[in-house]
Amino acid sequence: MCGIVGSIGENPIAPILVESIARLEYRGYDSCGLATINSHGIEIRKAVGAVEDVAAAGDFASAHGDIGIAHTRWATHGGVSLVNAHPHLSCDGEFAVVHNGIISNHQALRAELRERGHRFASETDTEILAHLLEETHHGGASVEQAFVEALKRLEGTFAIAMISARDAKKIYCARQQSPLILGLSPQTSYIASDVNAFLPYTRRAVLLEDGEYAVVARDGYCVRAIEDGMTRPKRITEIDWHIDSIGKAGHRHYMEKEICEQPETVRHALAVNHEEIAAIAHAMSRSRPNVLVGVGTTYYVALYGQYLLGALAGEFAPAISSDETEALAPADPGGLMLAISQSGETFDTLQALRRARAAGARTAAIVNVPGSSMTREADLVVQQDSGPEICVISTKAAAAQLVLLTRLAVEVARAKQRVRNGKYQKIIDDLCALPHVIQSALGSIRPAIRDLAWRYHQKPNWFFLARGLFTPMAYEAALKMKEVTYLHAEGMPAGFLKHGTLSLVDEETPCVFLIPPEEDKTLFDLTMSSLEEVRARKGKVIALAFDRVPGGADTEIILPPASPVTAPLLHLVAAQLLAYETALLLGRNIDRPRSLAKSVTVS
């Protein structure tokens, strides 16, 4: 879960490298560093800490050279320390490497290289590659030959970039189950883990596939297969994201900006081509079994989809966490797996998709990042068009996915002739009104949310409770709270209270209830029954509701009117704001929470 970049051009490259890894910092921010080649050889500058802080203190941008690589790290092998920060050098100082992924046979390779006299400075799996390159090159191989031979000895996953003082006008890079993209502009070339790194400089990209490596020069590139060295022709992809979308636009944090962007994000989700959604609906109506997979936030999104497909279309499509699919997802050639991922590179979800394809099942994906692995590997793809989501905490991407799953459930119901035209139109009308309703909520509830956060931000334990379709939003609300505030928060079906959790409820426990609109009478009454159980134990009752709660609550956040189908998204917005405002009061690192990275590309 690291970010790597590289660039070669006519001008000093270090300032571009610093700016690029800053834009990838959501992929990892334990430490960072860069390596350039100049008249003195390879120059490395690296440090522990956030890019903005350590790059200024270490004057990273003044490193000389018109070619270089850089890295921002989220620790997997080896602790957070200066010696473990990337880039890593060979013993002779002639090769520098950066890496995202896990080299699973690194211990055996390290032992072998140590026997041959190599000295290791770090605990990382990455450093063995620098020494393999040196060993192979000293044996008579060219730099490119050494690079390929070293790659062939690696087991595991990797995106790698390498520069060598022995071939000072080229960057070598390779991909195996970790994302890597080339960026092209006149007289300057780029490599990066994702397009955000080079978006200010070019939107022209070349997407590397697994098992490919590239040799990148100032004015061109060549892509070859690692296995046999054969040249791979590549298509240039135009990335339809604008540079303005990766700034904060006057907000204090990316999380705040991305919460506030949700009306526009929902509009984009509503504008997604009907044919893309209908194609998946058509496939689902003819496939058995159908499963939805995601992990973390996207698992809760998938669970929401499970509820909607069952309620609207009578379609049982279980939501399965993608790290459990090997055991739980049926490998049936007659089935369909729908994967949900913001990045399109989430390791467990991508592996689940590949297992399904290998078993002969059809595959589909809802993905945000253009050109990502899932967009290329799934049979059917919905590109959600949410724009860059920079904050580690997912907000707007999840909202778009919920809207798209609602549209999908309606289309499956139509394909199975389960929805009358009037009911279908009512749901679509409610969805079309949603951007305005969310915008109204963002304006009307913010003061009450701030007051709620002020009253309860010191409480260490929170419960988020709901029923039915609203339950996935309770799970997601709790996840937002613990991700960004570091407080303990638990989401659950409200009916679970009496089966054990009530023993934890006392007068110090905030219990946030996601109250459905009263027109959904069954869910409303069941939720109110659970609320009364908490009130009877003197727990702090917080209601996210669409009208005043019968009997009152300790705190009520009144949301704008919404239908039972769209109401859960209003709860989601309120919960996101509550997590944000609470984290603000606690002084947390909101865009970069401790120990978390946005794009989880390793197992």
mmCIF file with all atom_site columns, all heavy atoms in Angstrom, residues 165-181:
data_model
loop_
_atom_site.group_PDB
_atom_site.id
_atom_site.type_symbol
_atom_site.label_atom_id
_atom_site.label_alt_id
_atom_site.label_comp_id
_atom_site.label_asym_id
_atom_site.label_entity_id
_atom_site.label_seq_id
_atom_site.pdbx_PDB_ins_code
_atom_site.Cartn_x
_atom_site.Cartn_y
_atom_site.Cartn_z
_atom_site.occupancy
_atom_site.B_iso_or_equiv
_atom_site.pdbx_formal_charge
_atom_site.auth_seq_id
_atom_site.auth_comp_id
_atom_site.auth_asym_id
_atom_site.auth_atom_id
_atom_site.pdbx_PDB_model_num
ATOM 1   N N   . ALA A 1 165 ? 22.894 4.174   -12.153 1.00 0.00 ? 165 ALA A N   1
ATOM 2   C CA  . ALA A 1 165 ? 23.962 5.047   -12.654 1.00 0.00 ? 165 ALA A CA  1
ATOM 3   C C   . ALA A 1 165 ? 24.664 4.414   -13.850 1.00 0.00 ? 165 ALA A C   1
ATOM 4   O O   . ALA A 1 165 ? 25.369 5.099   -14.598 1.00 0.00 ? 165 ALA A O   1
ATOM 5   C CB  . ALA A 1 165 ? 24.964 5.329   -11.530 1.00 0.00 ? 165 ALA A CB  1
ATOM 6   N N   . ARG A 1 166 ? 24.463 3.109   -14.075 1.00 0.00 ? 166 ARG A N   1
ATOM 7   C CA  . ARG A 1 166 ? 25.048 2.411   -15.220 1.00 0.00 ? 166 ARG A CA  1
ATOM 8   C C   . ARG A 1 166 ? 24.248 2.623   -16.514 1.00 0.00 ? 166 ARG A C   1
ATOM 9   O O   . ARG A 1 166 ? 24.702 2.219   -17.579 1.00 0.00 ? 166 ARG A O   1
ATOM 10  C CB  . ARG A 1 166 ? 25.117 0.917   -14.920 1.00 0.00 ? 166 ARG A CB  1
ATOM 11  C CG  . ARG A 1 166 ? 25.929 0.563   -13.688 1.00 0.00 ? 166 ARG A CG  1
ATOM 12  C CD  . ARG A 1 166 ? 27.397 0.545   -13.981 1.00 0.00 ? 166 ARG A CD  1
ATOM 13  N NE  . ARG A 1 166 ? 28.200 0.215   -12.826 1.00 0.00 ? 166 ARG A NE  1
ATOM 14  C CZ  . ARG A 1 166 ? 29.431 -0.245  -12.885 1.00 0.00 ? 166 ARG A CZ  1
ATOM 15  N NH1 . ARG A 1 166 ? 29.990 -0.426  -14.068 1.00 0.00 ? 166 ARG A NH1 1
ATOM 16  N NH2 . ARG A 1 166 ? 30.109 -0.501  -11.793 1.00 0.00 ? 166 ARG A NH2 1
ATOM 17  N N   . ASP A 1 167 ? 23.062 3.189   -16.385 1.00 0.00 ? 167 ASP A N   1
ATOM 18  C CA  . ASP A 1 167 ? 22.209 3.456   -17.553 1.00 0.00 ? 167 ASP A CA  1
ATOM 19  C C   . ASP A 1 167 ? 21.350 4.659   -17.192 1.00 0.00 ? 167 ASP A C   1
ATOM 20  O O   . ASP A 1 167 ? 20.157 4.553   -16.943 1.00 0.00 ? 167 ASP A O   1
ATOM 21  C CB  . ASP A 1 167 ? 21.346 2.230   -17.863 1.00 0.00 ? 167 ASP A CB  1
ATOM 22  C CG  . ASP A 1 167 ? 20.671 2.318   -19.218 1.00 0.00 ? 167 ASP A CG  1
ATOM 23  O OD1 . ASP A 1 167 ? 20.888 3.312   -19.936 1.00 0.00 ? 167 ASP A OD1 1
ATOM 24  O OD2 . ASP A 1 167 ? 19.909 1.396   -19.552 1.00 0.00 ? 167 ASP A OD2 1
ATOM 25  N N   . ALA A 1 168 ? 21.995 5.836   -17.184 1.00 0.00 ? 168 ALA A N   1
ATOM 26  C CA  . ALA A 1 168 ? 21.461 6.999   -16.485 1.00 0.00 ? 168 ALA A CA  1
ATOM 27  C C   . ALA A 1 168 ? 20.377 7.762   -17.233 1.00 0.00 ? 168 ALA A C   1
ATOM 28  O O   . ALA A 1 168 ? 19.918 8.801   -16.760 1.00 0.00 ? 168 ALA A O   1
ATOM 29  C CB  . ALA A 1 168 ? 22.605 7.961   -16.137 1.00 0.00 ? 168 ALA A CB  1
ATOM 30  N N   . LYS A 1 169 ? 19.915 7.268   -18.370 1.00 0.00 ? 169 LYS A N   1
ATOM 31  C CA  . LYS A 1 169 ? 18.890 7.963   -19.143 1.00 0.00 ? 169 LYS A CA  1
ATOM 32  C C   . LYS A 1 169 ? 17.595 7.158   -19.262 1.00 0.00 ? 169 LYS A C   1
ATOM 33  O O   . LYS A 1 169 ? 16.764 7.433   -20.112 1.00 0.00 ? 169 LYS A O   1
ATOM 34  C CB  . LYS A 1 169 ? 19.417 8.294   -20.545 1.00 0.00 ? 169 LYS A CB  1
ATOM 35  C CG  . LYS A 1 169 ? 20.592 9.266   -20.557 1.00 0.00 ? 169 LYS A CG  1
ATOM 36  C CD  . LYS A 1 169 ? 20.193 10.609  -19.934 1.00 0.00 ? 169 LYS A CD  1
ATOM 37  C CE  . LYS A 1 169 ? 21.361 11.597  -19.950 1.00 0.00 ? 169 LYS A CE  1
ATOM 38  N NZ  . LYS A 1 169 ? 20.982 12.885  -19.305 1.00 0.00 ? 169 LYS A NZ  1
ATOM 39  N N   . LYS A 1 170 ? 17.436 6.174   -18.387 1.00 0.00 ? 170 LYS A N   1
ATOM 40  C CA  . LYS A 1 170 ? 16.232 5.346   -18.451 1.00 0.00 ? 170 LYS A CA  1
ATOM 41  C C   . LYS A 1 170 ? 15.737 5.003   -17.044 1.00 0.00 ? 170 LYS A C   1
ATOM 42  O O   . LYS A 1 170 ? 16.532 4.856   -16.111 1.00 0.00 ? 170 LYS A O   1
ATOM 43  C CB  . LYS A 1 170 ? 16.497 4.045   -19.210 1.00 0.00 ? 170 LYS A CB  1
ATOM 44  C CG  . LYS A 1 170 ? 16.883 4.209   -20.665 1.00 0.00 ? 170 LYS A CG  1
ATOM 45  C CD  . LYS A 1 170 ? 16.992 2.841   -21.329 1.00 0.00 ? 170 LYS A CD  1
ATOM 46  C CE  . LYS A 1 170 ? 17.446 2.955   -22.786 1.00 0.00 ? 170 LYS A CE  1
ATOM 47  N NZ  . LYS A 1 170 ? 18.871 3.291   -22.886 1.00 0.00 ? 170 LYS A NZ  1
ATOM 48  N N   . ILE A 1 171 ? 14.403 4.883   -16.938 1.00 0.00 ? 171 ILE A N   1
ATOM 49  C CA  . ILE A 1 171 ? 13.775 4.316   -15.749 1.00 0.00 ? 171 ILE A CA  1
ATOM 50  C C   . ILE A 1 171 ? 13.236 2.945   -16.139 1.00 0.00 ? 171 ILE A C   1
ATOM 51  O O   . ILE A 1 171 ? 12.600 2.790   -17.191 1.00 0.00 ? 171 ILE A O   1
ATOM 52  C CB  . ILE A 1 171 ? 12.622 5.187   -15.225 1.00 0.00 ? 171 ILE A CB  1
ATOM 53  C CG1 . ILE A 1 171 ? 13.123 6.584   -14.854 1.00 0.00 ? 171 ILE A CG1 1
ATOM 54  C CG2 . ILE A 1 171 ? 11.955 4.536   -14.010 1.00 0.00 ? 171 ILE A CG2 1
ATOM 55  C CD1 . ILE A 1 171 ? 12.010 7.541   -14.441 1.00 0.00 ? 171 ILE A CD1 1
ATOM 56  N N   . TYR A 1 172 ? 13.504 1.959   -15.305 1.00 0.00 ? 172 TYR A N   1
ATOM 57  C CA  . TYR A 1 172 ? 12.971 0.623   -15.520 1.00 0.00 ? 172 TYR A CA  1
ATOM 58  C C   . TYR A 1 172 ? 11.852 0.381   -14.503 1.00 0.00 ? 172 TYR A C   1
ATOM 59  O O   . TYR A 1 172 ? 11.995 0.719   -13.308 1.00 0.00 ? 172 TYR A O   1
ATOM 60  C CB  . TYR A 1 172 ? 14.068 -0.422  -15.337 1.00 0.00 ? 172 TYR A CB  1
ATOM 61  C CG  . TYR A 1 172 ? 15.126 -0.355  -16.415 1.00 0.00 ? 172 TYR A CG  1
ATOM 62  C CD1 . TYR A 1 172 ? 16.188 0.539   -16.312 1.00 0.00 ? 172 TYR A CD1 1
ATOM 63  C CD2 . TYR A 1 172 ? 15.038 -1.171  -17.538 1.00 0.00 ? 172 TYR A CD2 1
ATOM 64  C CE1 . TYR A 1 172 ? 17.150 0.618   -17.312 1.00 0.00 ? 172 TYR A CE1 1
ATOM 65  C CE2 . TYR A 1 172 ? 15.999 -1.101  -18.536 1.00 0.00 ? 172 TYR A CE2 1
ATOM 66  C CZ  . TYR A 1 172 ? 17.045 -0.202  -18.420 1.00 0.00 ? 172 TYR A CZ  1
ATOM 67  O OH  . TYR A 1 172 ? 17.997 -0.126  -19.418 1.00 0.00 ? 172 TYR A OH  1
ATOM 68  N N   . CYS A 1 173 ? 10.748 -0.184  -14.952 1.00 0.00 ? 173 CYS A N   1
ATOM 69  C CA  . CYS A 1 173 ? 9.639  -0.430  -14.039 1.00 0.00 ? 173 CYS A CA  1
ATOM 70  C C   . CYS A 1 173 ? 8.922  -1.713  -14.449 1.00 0.00 ? 173 CYS A C   1
ATOM 71  O O   . CYS A 1 173 ? 9.045  -2.172  -15.593 1.00 0.00 ? 173 CYS A O   1
ATOM 72  C CB  . CYS A 1 173 ? 8.671  0.753   -14.009 1.00 0.00 ? 173 CYS A CB  1
ATOM 73  S SG  . CYS A 1 173 ? 7.929  1.168   -15.597 1.00 0.00 ? 173 CYS A SG  1
ATOM 74  N N   . ALA A 1 174 ? 8.178  -2.301  -13.511 1.00 0.00 ? 174 ALA A N   1
ATOM 75  C CA  . ALA A 1 174 ? 7.504  -3.571  -13.777 1.00 0.00 ? 174 ALA A CA  1
ATOM 76  C C   . ALA A 1 174 ? 6.307  -3.716  -12.854 1.00 0.00 ? 174 ALA A C   1
ATOM 77  O O   . ALA A 1 174 ? 6.258  -3.130  -11.771 1.00 0.00 ? 174 ALA A O   1
ATOM 78  C CB  . ALA A 1 174 ? 8.460  -4.740  -13.581 1.00 0.00 ? 174 ALA A CB  1
ATOM 79  N N   . ARG A 1 175 ? 5.382  -4.566  -13.297 1.00 0.00 ? 175 ARG A N   1
ATOM 80  C CA  . ARG A 1 175 ? 4.149  -4.774  -12.538 1.00 0.00 ? 175 ARG A CA  1
ATOM 81  C C   . ARG A 1 175 ? 3.810  -6.257  -12.446 1.00 0.00 ? 175 ARG A C   1
ATOM 82  O O   . ARG A 1 175 ? 3.896  -6.998  -13.424 1.00 0.00 ? 175 ARG A O   1
ATOM 83  C CB  . ARG A 1 175 ? 2.986  -4.057  -13.228 1.00 0.00 ? 175 ARG A CB  1
ATOM 84  C CG  . ARG A 1 175 ? 1.626  -4.456  -12.666 1.00 0.00 ? 175 ARG A CG  1
ATOM 85  C CD  . ARG A 1 175 ? 0.473  -3.995  -13.510 1.00 0.00 ? 175 ARG A CD  1
ATOM 86  N NE  . ARG A 1 175 ? -0.712 -4.696  -13.062 1.00 0.00 ? 175 ARG A NE  1
ATOM 87  C CZ  . ARG A 1 175 ? -1.856 -4.119  -12.755 1.00 0.00 ? 175 ARG A CZ  1
ATOM 88  N NH1 . ARG A 1 175 ? -2.004 -2.820  -12.862 1.00 0.00 ? 175 ARG A NH1 1
ATOM 89  N NH2 . ARG A 1 175 ? -2.890 -4.838  -12.344 1.00 0.00 ? 175 ARG A NH2 1
ATOM 90  N N   . GLN A 1 176 ? 3.409  -6.680  -11.220 1.00 0.00 ? 176 GLN A N   1
ATOM 91  C CA  . GLN A 1 176 ? 2.825  -7.996  -11.001 1.00 0.00 ? 176 GLN A CA  1
ATOM 92  C C   . GLN A 1 176 ? 1.835  -7.877  -9.846  1.00 0.00 ? 176 GLN A C   1
ATOM 93  O O   . GLN A 1 176 ? 2.225  -7.852  -8.681  1.00 0.00 ? 176 GLN A O   1
ATOM 94  C CB  . GLN A 1 176 ? 3.901  -9.043  -10.692 1.00 0.00 ? 176 GLN A CB  1
ATOM 95  C CG  . GLN A 1 176 ? 3.363  -10.463 -10.515 1.00 0.00 ? 176 GLN A CG  1
ATOM 96  C CD  . GLN A 1 176 ? 2.691  -10.993 -11.766 1.00 0.00 ? 176 GLN A CD  1
ATOM 97  O OE1 . GLN A 1 176 ? 3.178  -10.786 -12.885 1.00 0.00 ? 176 GLN A OE1 1
ATOM 98  N NE2 . GLN A 1 176 ? 1.575  -11.661 -11.602 1.00 0.00 ? 176 GLN A NE2 1
ATOM 99  N N   . GLN A 1 177 ? 0.562  -7.727  -10.173 1.00 0.00 ? 177 GLN A N   1
ATOM 100 C CA  . GLN A 1 177 ? -0.536 -7.653  -9.205  1.00 0.00 ? 177 GLN A CA  1
ATOM 101 C C   . GLN A 1 177 ? -0.473 -6.424  -8.307  1.00 0.00 ? 177 GLN A C   1
ATOM 102 O O   . GLN A 1 177 ? -1.100 -6.403  -7.241  1.00 0.00 ? 177 GLN A O   1
ATOM 103 C CB  . GLN A 1 177 ? -0.611 -8.932  -8.363  1.00 0.00 ? 177 GLN A CB  1
ATOM 104 C CG  . GLN A 1 177 ? -0.922 -10.171 -9.189  1.00 0.00 ? 177 GLN A CG  1
ATOM 105 C CD  . GLN A 1 177 ? -1.144 -11.401 -8.329  1.00 0.00 ? 177 GLN A CD  1
ATOM 106 O OE1 . GLN A 1 177 ? -1.602 -11.308 -7.210  1.00 0.00 ? 177 GLN A OE1 1
ATOM 107 N NE2 . GLN A 1 177 ? -0.791 -12.561 -8.865  1.00 0.00 ? 177 GLN A NE2 1
ATOM 108 N N   . SER A 1 178 ? 0.260  -5.413  -8.685  1.00 0.00 ? 178 SER A N   1
ATOM 109 C CA  . SER A 1 178 ? 0.228  -4.117  -8.020  1.00 0.00 ? 178 SER A CA  1
ATOM 110 C C   . SER A 1 178 ? 0.174  -3.054  -9.108  1.00 0.00 ? 178 SER A C   1
ATOM 111 O O   . SER A 1 178 ? 0.856  -3.186  -10.137 1.00 0.00 ? 178 SER A O   1
ATOM 112 C CB  . SER A 1 178 ? 1.455  -3.894  -7.130  1.00 0.00 ? 178 SER A CB  1
ATOM 113 O OG  . SER A 1 178 ? 1.387  -4.692  -5.970  1.00 0.00 ? 178 SER A OG  1
ATOM 114 N N   . PRO A 1 179 ? -0.609 -1.998  -8.925  1.00 0.00 ? 179 PRO A N   1
ATOM 115 C CA  . PRO A 1 179 ? -0.857 -1.060  -10.028 1.00 0.00 ? 179 PRO A CA  1
ATOM 116 C C   . PRO A 1 179 ? 0.371  -0.257  -10.425 1.00 0.00 ? 179 PRO A C   1
ATOM 117 O O   . PRO A 1 179 ? 1.178  0.141   -9.587  1.00 0.00 ? 179 PRO A O   1
ATOM 118 C CB  . PRO A 1 179 ? -1.955 -0.140  -9.466  1.00 0.00 ? 179 PRO A CB  1
ATOM 119 C CG  . PRO A 1 179 ? -1.811 -0.246  -7.982  1.00 0.00 ? 179 PRO A CG  1
ATOM 120 C CD  . PRO A 1 179 ? -1.357 -1.633  -7.706  1.00 0.00 ? 179 PRO A CD  1
ATOM 121 N N   . LEU A 1 180 ? 0.486  0.002   -11.740 1.00 0.00 ? 180 LEU A N   1
ATOM 122 C CA  . LEU A 1 180 ? 1.548  0.836   -12.274 1.00 0.00 ? 180 LEU A CA  1
ATOM 123 C C   . LEU A 1 180 ? 1.107  1.390   -13.623 1.00 0.00 ? 180 LEU A C   1
ATOM 124 O O   . LEU A 1 180 ? 0.604  0.647   -14.473 1.00 0.00 ? 180 LEU A O   1
ATOM 125 C CB  . LEU A 1 180 ? 2.850  0.043   -12.423 1.00 0.00 ? 180 LEU A CB  1
ATOM 126 C CG  . LEU A 1 180 ? 4.126  0.881   -12.568 1.00 0.00 ? 180 LEU A CG  1
ATOM 127 C CD1 . LEU A 1 180 ? 4.377  1.714   -11.317 1.00 0.00 ? 180 LEU A CD1 1
ATOM 128 C CD2 . LEU A 1 180 ? 5.323  -0.001  -12.851 1.00 0.00 ? 180 LEU A CD2 1
ATOM 129 N N   . ILE A 1 181 ? 1.284  2.679   -13.800 1.00 0.00 ? 181 ILE A N   1
ATOM 130 C CA  . ILE A 1 181 ? 0.805  3.384   -14.987 1.00 0.00 ? 181 ILE A CA  1
ATOM 131 C C   . ILE A 1 181 ? 1.902  4.306   -15.497 1.00 0.00 ? 181 ILE A C   1
ATOM 132 O O   . ILE A 1 181 ? 2.629  4.922   -14.705 1.00 0.00 ? 181 ILE A O   1
ATOM 133 C CB  . ILE A 1 181 ? -0.462 4.208   -14.650 1.00 0.00 ? 181 ILE A CB  1
ATOM 134 C CG1 . ILE A 1 181 ? -1.578 3.286   -14.155 1.00 0.00 ? 181 ILE A CG1 1
ATOM 135 C CG2 . ILE A 1 181 ? -0.951 5.001   -15.853 1.00 0.00 ? 181 ILE A CG2 1
ATOM 136 C CD1 . ILE A 1 181 ? -2.804 4.018   -13.654 1.00 0.00 ? 181 ILE A CD1 1
#
